[in-house]
Amino acid sequence: MIEGAGKTMFGQLAGGNDLGLPSPAPGPGAPASLALRSGATVIDLAIAVPVILVPLLAFERIVLAGVGDEGANIWRLVAVLWVVAFLLTYSPFSTYRWGRTLGKRVMGLKVVRVGSDSRLGYGRALIRHLANVGIGLVPVILIANISLIGTDAQLRGMHDRLARSAVVRTR
């Protein structure tokens, strides 16, 4: 670790801290820093937004052209179903099947069960994801979760604790 890195905001994001907790060792199997996790989230959001919006906008044009304004209720129902389907599949299924989403893969991370290198089952992956979404909807809880990740020796957030998971580096 860089001398004094734990005493700065960058040091905290990179995995150091001001609480005297040991910084994670670099390399495979080490807890993933908040910076790497945030990068993975940005990539996953960059994937999610077009995957959700493009089909909905196309469907809206089709419905409005074919049915007119009466199709608005149909479009709303399809929109809700599409968003729920995405929420129940992309992150939970990717985490269950491959141990990571595309964003985590790019950033060299994976989600594992605490105490092992094995992937989560779909149930735990779903709980982890839904908890993470819920945390993100309440700013005060989101800030508390980020603080927890930044100060926890294993760099685990509330959603990780609930699912008994950890995000670790693969490289």
Short mmCIF file of all heavy atoms in Angstrom, two decimals, residues 40-41 44-45 47-48 52 83-104 111 120-133 159 167:
data_model
loop_
_atom_site.label_atom_id
_atom_site.label_comp_id
_atom_site.label_asym_id
_atom_site.label_seq_id
_atom_site.Cartn_x
_atom_site.Cartn_y
_atom_site.Cartn_z
N ALA A 40 -17.78 -0.70 -11.32
CA ALA A 40 -18.63 -1.79 -11.82
C ALA A 40 -20.09 -1.35 -11.88
O ALA A 40 -20.81 -1.66 -12.83
CB ALA A 40 -18.47 -3.02 -10.94
N THR A 41 -20.52 -0.60 -10.87
CA THR A 41 -21.91 -0.11 -10.84
C THR A 41 -22.17 0.84 -11.99
O THR A 41 -23.22 0.76 -12.64
CB THR A 41 -22.20 0.58 -9.49
OG1 THR A 41 -22.04 -0.38 -8.44
CG2 THR A 41 -23.61 1.14 -9.45
N ASP A 44 -22.56 -1.24 -15.10
CA ASP A 44 -23.84 -1.95 -15.10
C ASP A 44 -25.01 -1.00 -15.37
O ASP A 44 -25.96 -1.36 -16.06
CB ASP A 44 -24.04 -2.70 -13.78
CG ASP A 44 -23.16 -3.93 -13.69
OD1 ASP A 44 -22.82 -4.51 -14.74
OD2 ASP A 44 -22.81 -4.32 -12.56
N LEU A 45 -24.95 0.21 -14.83
CA LEU A 45 -26.01 1.19 -15.12
C LEU A 45 -25.98 1.62 -16.59
O LEU A 45 -27.03 1.82 -17.20
CB LEU A 45 -25.88 2.40 -14.20
CG LEU A 45 -26.29 2.18 -12.75
CD1 LEU A 45 -25.96 3.40 -11.90
CD2 LEU A 45 -27.77 1.84 -12.65
N ILE A 47 -25.26 -0.22 -18.99
CA ILE A 47 -25.89 -1.34 -19.70
C ILE A 47 -27.39 -1.33 -19.46
O ILE A 47 -28.20 -1.48 -20.38
CB ILE A 47 -25.28 -2.68 -19.25
CG1 ILE A 47 -23.83 -2.78 -19.70
CG2 ILE A 47 -26.11 -3.87 -19.76
CD1 ILE A 47 -23.05 -3.90 -19.05
N ALA A 48 -27.80 -1.14 -18.21
CA ALA A 48 -29.21 -1.25 -17.82
C ALA A 48 -30.08 -0.20 -18.48
O ALA A 48 -31.19 -0.51 -18.94
CB ALA A 48 -29.34 -1.16 -16.30
N ILE A 52 -33.25 -1.25 -20.81
CA ILE A 52 -34.60 -1.01 -20.33
C ILE A 52 -35.33 -0.02 -21.24
O ILE A 52 -36.47 -0.27 -21.64
CB ILE A 52 -34.59 -0.49 -18.87
CG1 ILE A 52 -34.16 -1.62 -17.93
CG2 ILE A 52 -35.95 0.05 -18.46
CD1 ILE A 52 -33.91 -1.18 -16.50
N VAL A 83 -39.38 -3.74 -16.55
CA VAL A 83 -38.44 -3.29 -15.52
C VAL A 83 -38.30 -4.36 -14.43
O VAL A 83 -37.19 -4.67 -13.99
CB VAL A 83 -38.87 -1.93 -14.93
CG1 VAL A 83 -38.05 -1.57 -13.70
CG2 VAL A 83 -38.75 -0.84 -15.98
N VAL A 84 -39.41 -4.93 -13.99
CA VAL A 84 -39.36 -5.98 -12.96
C VAL A 84 -38.58 -7.19 -13.49
O VAL A 84 -37.74 -7.76 -12.78
CB VAL A 84 -40.78 -6.38 -12.50
CG1 VAL A 84 -40.75 -7.66 -11.67
CG2 VAL A 84 -41.41 -5.25 -11.71
N ALA A 85 -38.83 -7.57 -14.74
CA ALA A 85 -38.10 -8.70 -15.33
C ALA A 85 -36.60 -8.42 -15.35
O ALA A 85 -35.78 -9.30 -15.01
CB ALA A 85 -38.61 -8.99 -16.74
N PHE A 86 -36.22 -7.21 -15.70
CA PHE A 86 -34.80 -6.86 -15.73
C PHE A 86 -34.21 -6.92 -14.32
O PHE A 86 -33.12 -7.46 -14.11
CB PHE A 86 -34.58 -5.48 -16.34
CG PHE A 86 -33.13 -5.14 -16.53
CD1 PHE A 86 -32.44 -5.59 -17.63
CD2 PHE A 86 -32.45 -4.40 -15.57
CE1 PHE A 86 -31.08 -5.32 -17.79
CE2 PHE A 86 -31.10 -4.12 -15.72
CZ PHE A 86 -30.42 -4.57 -16.84
N LEU A 87 -34.94 -6.36 -13.35
CA LEU A 87 -34.46 -6.36 -11.96
C LEU A 87 -34.28 -7.78 -11.41
O LEU A 87 -33.40 -8.03 -10.60
CB LEU A 87 -35.41 -5.58 -11.05
CG LEU A 87 -35.35 -4.07 -11.15
CD1 LEU A 87 -36.45 -3.43 -10.31
CD2 LEU A 87 -33.99 -3.54 -10.73
N LEU A 88 -35.13 -8.69 -11.86
CA LEU A 88 -35.06 -10.06 -11.35
C LEU A 88 -34.08 -10.94 -12.12
O LEU A 88 -33.84 -12.08 -11.72
CB LEU A 88 -36.45 -10.70 -11.38
CG LEU A 88 -37.49 -10.06 -10.47
CD1 LEU A 88 -38.84 -10.75 -10.64
CD2 LEU A 88 -37.06 -10.06 -9.02
N THR A 89 -33.55 -10.41 -13.22
CA THR A 89 -32.68 -11.27 -14.03
C THR A 89 -31.24 -10.77 -14.14
O THR A 89 -30.32 -11.53 -13.80
CB THR A 89 -33.24 -11.48 -15.44
OG1 THR A 89 -33.47 -10.22 -16.05
CG2 THR A 89 -34.52 -12.28 -15.40
N TYR A 90 -31.00 -9.56 -14.61
CA TYR A 90 -29.62 -9.17 -14.96
C TYR A 90 -28.63 -9.40 -13.82
O TYR A 90 -27.74 -10.24 -13.93
CB TYR A 90 -29.56 -7.72 -15.45
CG TYR A 90 -28.14 -7.26 -15.71
CD1 TYR A 90 -27.40 -7.82 -16.75
CD2 TYR A 90 -27.52 -6.32 -14.90
CE1 TYR A 90 -26.08 -7.43 -16.98
CE2 TYR A 90 -26.21 -5.93 -15.11
CZ TYR A 90 -25.51 -6.48 -16.16
OH TYR A 90 -24.20 -6.11 -16.39
N SER A 91 -28.75 -8.67 -12.76
CA SER A 91 -27.77 -8.80 -11.68
C SER A 91 -27.91 -10.12 -10.92
O SER A 91 -26.91 -10.83 -10.75
CB SER A 91 -27.86 -7.62 -10.72
OG SER A 91 -26.93 -7.77 -9.68
N PRO A 92 -29.12 -10.50 -10.48
CA PRO A 92 -29.20 -11.76 -9.73
C PRO A 92 -28.78 -12.98 -10.55
O PRO A 92 -28.04 -13.83 -10.06
CB PRO A 92 -30.67 -11.86 -9.32
CG PRO A 92 -31.22 -10.49 -9.44
CD PRO A 92 -30.40 -9.80 -10.48
N PHE A 93 -29.24 -13.06 -11.79
CA PHE A 93 -28.90 -14.23 -12.61
C PHE A 93 -27.41 -14.24 -12.94
O PHE A 93 -26.76 -15.28 -12.87
CB PHE A 93 -29.74 -14.28 -13.89
CG PHE A 93 -29.45 -15.51 -14.70
CD1 PHE A 93 -29.96 -16.75 -14.33
CD2 PHE A 93 -28.62 -15.44 -15.81
CE1 PHE A 93 -29.67 -17.89 -15.05
CE2 PHE A 93 -28.32 -16.58 -16.54
CZ PHE A 93 -28.85 -17.81 -16.16
N SER A 94 -26.86 -13.07 -13.32
CA SER A 94 -25.43 -13.00 -13.63
C SER A 94 -24.58 -13.38 -12.42
O SER A 94 -23.59 -14.08 -12.55
CB SER A 94 -25.06 -11.59 -14.10
OG SER A 94 -25.72 -11.26 -15.29
N THR A 95 -24.98 -12.90 -11.25
CA THR A 95 -24.24 -13.21 -10.03
C THR A 95 -24.34 -14.70 -9.69
O THR A 95 -23.35 -15.33 -9.32
CB THR A 95 -24.76 -12.35 -8.86
OG1 THR A 95 -24.60 -10.97 -9.20
CG2 THR A 95 -24.01 -12.64 -7.58
N TYR A 96 -25.54 -15.26 -9.87
CA TYR A 96 -25.73 -16.69 -9.62
C TYR A 96 -24.96 -17.54 -10.64
O TYR A 96 -24.25 -18.47 -10.28
CB TYR A 96 -27.22 -17.01 -9.68
CG TYR A 96 -27.55 -18.44 -10.03
CD1 TYR A 96 -27.29 -19.47 -9.13
CD2 TYR A 96 -28.12 -18.75 -11.25
CE1 TYR A 96 -27.59 -20.79 -9.46
CE2 TYR A 96 -28.42 -20.06 -11.58
CZ TYR A 96 -28.15 -21.07 -10.69
OH TYR A 96 -28.44 -22.36 -11.02
N ARG A 97 -25.07 -17.20 -11.90
CA ARG A 97 -24.51 -18.04 -12.97
C ARG A 97 -23.00 -17.91 -13.10
O ARG A 97 -22.28 -18.89 -13.23
CB ARG A 97 -25.19 -17.68 -14.30
CG ARG A 97 -24.71 -18.48 -15.49
CD ARG A 97 -25.14 -19.94 -15.37
NE ARG A 97 -24.76 -20.66 -16.54
CZ ARG A 97 -23.68 -21.44 -16.65
NH1 ARG A 97 -22.87 -21.57 -15.65
NH2 ARG A 97 -23.41 -22.07 -17.77
N TRP A 98 -22.50 -16.64 -13.10
CA TRP A 98 -21.08 -16.41 -13.35
C TRP A 98 -20.34 -15.79 -12.17
O TRP A 98 -19.14 -15.57 -12.24
CB TRP A 98 -20.90 -15.53 -14.58
CG TRP A 98 -21.47 -16.17 -15.81
CD1 TRP A 98 -20.96 -17.24 -16.49
CD2 TRP A 98 -22.66 -15.79 -16.49
NE1 TRP A 98 -21.77 -17.55 -17.55
CE2 TRP A 98 -22.83 -16.67 -17.59
CE3 TRP A 98 -23.62 -14.80 -16.31
CZ2 TRP A 98 -23.89 -16.59 -18.46
CZ3 TRP A 98 -24.68 -14.71 -17.18
CH2 TRP A 98 -24.81 -15.61 -18.24
N GLY A 99 -21.06 -15.46 -11.11
CA GLY A 99 -20.43 -14.85 -9.95
C GLY A 99 -20.21 -13.36 -10.09
O GLY A 99 -19.60 -12.74 -9.22
N ARG A 100 -20.73 -12.78 -11.18
CA ARG A 100 -20.54 -11.35 -11.41
C ARG A 100 -21.37 -10.86 -12.57
O ARG A 100 -21.77 -11.65 -13.44
CB ARG A 100 -19.07 -11.06 -11.67
CG ARG A 100 -18.50 -11.86 -12.82
CD ARG A 100 -17.02 -11.71 -12.85
NE ARG A 100 -16.41 -12.69 -13.73
CZ ARG A 100 -15.12 -12.85 -13.82
NH1 ARG A 100 -14.32 -12.12 -13.10
NH2 ARG A 100 -14.62 -13.74 -14.63
N THR A 101 -21.59 -9.56 -12.57
CA THR A 101 -22.24 -8.90 -13.70
C THR A 101 -21.15 -8.51 -14.70
O THR A 101 -19.95 -8.66 -14.41
CB THR A 101 -22.97 -7.63 -13.23
OG1 THR A 101 -22.00 -6.75 -12.65
CG2 THR A 101 -24.07 -7.94 -12.24
N LEU A 102 -21.55 -7.97 -15.83
CA LEU A 102 -20.56 -7.53 -16.81
C LEU A 102 -19.68 -6.43 -16.23
O LEU A 102 -18.46 -6.41 -16.45
CB LEU A 102 -21.25 -7.06 -18.09
CG LEU A 102 -20.33 -6.72 -19.25
CD1 LEU A 102 -19.44 -7.90 -19.62
CD2 LEU A 102 -21.15 -6.29 -20.46
N GLY A 103 -20.28 -5.51 -15.47
CA GLY A 103 -19.50 -4.44 -14.84
C GLY A 103 -18.44 -4.99 -13.90
O GLY A 103 -17.29 -4.52 -13.90
N LYS A 104 -18.80 -5.96 -13.10
CA LYS A 104 -17.82 -6.57 -12.19
C LYS A 104 -16.74 -7.31 -12.97
O LYS A 104 -15.57 -7.30 -12.59
CB LYS A 104 -18.52 -7.49 -11.19
CG LYS A 104 -19.24 -6.73 -10.09
CD LYS A 104 -19.84 -7.67 -9.08
CE LYS A 104 -20.56 -6.91 -7.99
NZ LYS A 104 -21.72 -6.16 -8.46
N VAL A 111 -18.56 -11.88 -6.92
CA VAL A 111 -19.30 -12.00 -5.67
C VAL A 111 -19.21 -13.45 -5.23
O VAL A 111 -19.49 -14.36 -6.02
CB VAL A 111 -20.78 -11.58 -5.86
CG1 VAL A 111 -21.54 -11.70 -4.55
CG2 VAL A 111 -20.88 -10.17 -6.41
N LEU A 120 -22.85 -17.44 -5.25
CA LEU A 120 -24.12 -17.44 -4.51
C LEU A 120 -25.15 -18.22 -5.29
O LEU A 120 -25.11 -18.27 -6.52
CB LEU A 120 -24.64 -16.00 -4.35
CG LEU A 120 -23.76 -14.98 -3.66
CD1 LEU A 120 -24.48 -13.65 -3.59
CD2 LEU A 120 -23.36 -15.44 -2.29
N GLY A 121 -26.10 -18.77 -4.58
CA GLY A 121 -27.27 -19.35 -5.23
C GLY A 121 -28.16 -18.21 -5.73
O GLY A 121 -27.98 -17.05 -5.34
N TYR A 122 -29.13 -18.54 -6.57
CA TYR A 122 -30.00 -17.48 -7.11
C TYR A 122 -30.74 -16.74 -6.00
O TYR A 122 -30.87 -15.52 -6.04
CB TYR A 122 -31.00 -18.04 -8.13
CG TYR A 122 -31.87 -16.95 -8.70
CD1 TYR A 122 -31.38 -16.09 -9.68
CD2 TYR A 122 -33.16 -16.75 -8.23
CE1 TYR A 122 -32.16 -15.06 -10.17
CE2 TYR A 122 -33.95 -15.72 -8.72
CZ TYR A 122 -33.44 -14.88 -9.70
OH TYR A 122 -34.21 -13.86 -10.18
N GLY A 123 -31.22 -17.45 -4.99
CA GLY A 123 -31.95 -16.81 -3.90
C GLY A 123 -31.13 -15.75 -3.18
O GLY A 123 -31.59 -14.63 -2.96
N ARG A 124 -29.91 -16.11 -2.82
CA ARG A 124 -29.03 -15.14 -2.16
C ARG A 124 -28.66 -13.99 -3.09
O ARG A 124 -28.57 -12.85 -2.66
CB ARG A 124 -27.75 -15.80 -1.67
CG ARG A 124 -27.91 -16.54 -0.39
CD ARG A 124 -26.55 -16.88 0.16
NE ARG A 124 -26.69 -17.84 1.24
CZ ARG A 124 -25.69 -18.27 1.96
NH1 ARG A 124 -24.48 -17.85 1.73
NH2 ARG A 124 -25.90 -19.13 2.93
N ALA A 125 -28.44 -14.31 -4.35
CA ALA A 125 -28.10 -13.25 -5.32
C ALA A 125 -29.28 -12.30 -5.48
O ALA A 125 -29.10 -11.08 -5.58
CB ALA A 125 -27.72 -13.87 -6.66
N LEU A 126 -30.49 -12.84 -5.49
CA LEU A 126 -31.69 -12.00 -5.60
C LEU A 126 -31.86 -11.13 -4.35
O LEU A 126 -32.13 -9.93 -4.46
CB LEU A 126 -32.92 -12.86 -5.83
CG LEU A 126 -34.25 -12.12 -5.97
CD1 LEU A 126 -34.23 -11.19 -7.18
CD2 LEU A 126 -35.40 -13.11 -6.07
N ILE A 127 -31.70 -11.71 -3.18
CA ILE A 127 -31.80 -10.95 -1.94
C ILE A 127 -30.77 -9.83 -1.92
O ILE A 127 -31.08 -8.68 -1.59
CB ILE A 127 -31.62 -11.87 -0.71
CG1 ILE A 127 -32.85 -12.76 -0.54
CG2 ILE A 127 -31.34 -11.07 0.56
CD1 ILE A 127 -32.66 -13.89 0.45
N ARG A 128 -29.54 -10.14 -2.31
CA ARG A 128 -28.47 -9.15 -2.34
C ARG A 128 -28.83 -8.00 -3.28
O ARG A 128 -28.68 -6.83 -2.95
CB ARG A 128 -27.16 -9.82 -2.78
CG ARG A 128 -25.98 -8.89 -2.80
CD ARG A 128 -24.72 -9.63 -3.29
NE ARG A 128 -23.57 -8.75 -3.19
CZ ARG A 128 -23.27 -7.83 -4.09
NH1 ARG A 128 -24.01 -7.68 -5.16
NH2 ARG A 128 -22.22 -7.05 -3.90
N HIS A 129 -29.32 -8.35 -4.46
CA HIS A 129 -29.64 -7.33 -5.46
C HIS A 129 -30.83 -6.46 -5.01
O HIS A 129 -30.77 -5.24 -5.11
CB HIS A 129 -29.93 -7.98 -6.80
CG HIS A 129 -30.33 -7.00 -7.85
ND1 HIS A 129 -29.46 -6.05 -8.34
CD2 HIS A 129 -31.52 -6.77 -8.46
CE1 HIS A 129 -30.09 -5.31 -9.23
NE2 HIS A 129 -31.34 -5.72 -9.31
N LEU A 130 -31.89 -7.09 -4.55
CA LEU A 130 -33.06 -6.31 -4.13
C LEU A 130 -32.74 -5.42 -2.93
O LEU A 130 -33.21 -4.28 -2.85
CB LEU A 130 -34.24 -7.23 -3.83
CG LEU A 130 -34.81 -7.97 -5.05
CD1 LEU A 130 -35.93 -8.91 -4.62
CD2 LEU A 130 -35.29 -7.00 -6.12
N ALA A 131 -31.92 -5.91 -2.02
CA ALA A 131 -31.49 -5.08 -0.89
C ALA A 131 -30.67 -3.90 -1.39
O ALA A 131 -30.85 -2.76 -0.93
CB ALA A 131 -30.68 -5.91 0.10
N ASN A 132 -29.81 -4.14 -2.35
CA ASN A 132 -28.99 -3.07 -2.92
C ASN A 132 -29.86 -2.02 -3.61
O ASN A 132 -29.62 -0.82 -3.48
CB ASN A 132 -27.96 -3.67 -3.88
CG ASN A 132 -26.77 -2.76 -4.09
OD1 ASN A 132 -26.56 -1.79 -3.37
ND2 ASN A 132 -25.98 -3.09 -5.08
N VAL A 133 -30.87 -2.46 -4.36
CA VAL A 133 -31.79 -1.53 -5.01
C VAL A 133 -32.53 -0.72 -3.95
O VAL A 133 -32.64 0.51 -4.05
CB VAL A 133 -32.78 -2.27 -5.94
CG1 VAL A 133 -33.90 -1.36 -6.39
CG2 VAL A 133 -32.05 -2.85 -7.14
N HIS A 159 -26.09 -4.98 2.05
CA HIS A 159 -26.62 -6.00 1.15
C HIS A 159 -25.73 -7.24 1.14
O HIS A 159 -26.23 -8.35 1.03
CB HIS A 159 -26.81 -5.42 -0.26
CG HIS A 159 -25.56 -4.82 -0.84
ND1 HIS A 159 -24.91 -3.74 -0.28
CD2 HIS A 159 -24.84 -5.17 -1.92
CE1 HIS A 159 -23.84 -3.45 -1.00
NE2 HIS A 159 -23.78 -4.30 -2.01
N VAL A 167 -17.60 -9.14 -2.06
CA VAL A 167 -17.11 -8.83 -3.39
C VAL A 167 -15.59 -8.83 -3.32
O VAL A 167 -15.01 -8.11 -2.50
CB VAL A 167 -17.64 -7.46 -3.89
CG1 VAL A 167 -17.12 -7.18 -5.31
CG2 VAL A 167 -19.15 -7.41 -3.85
#
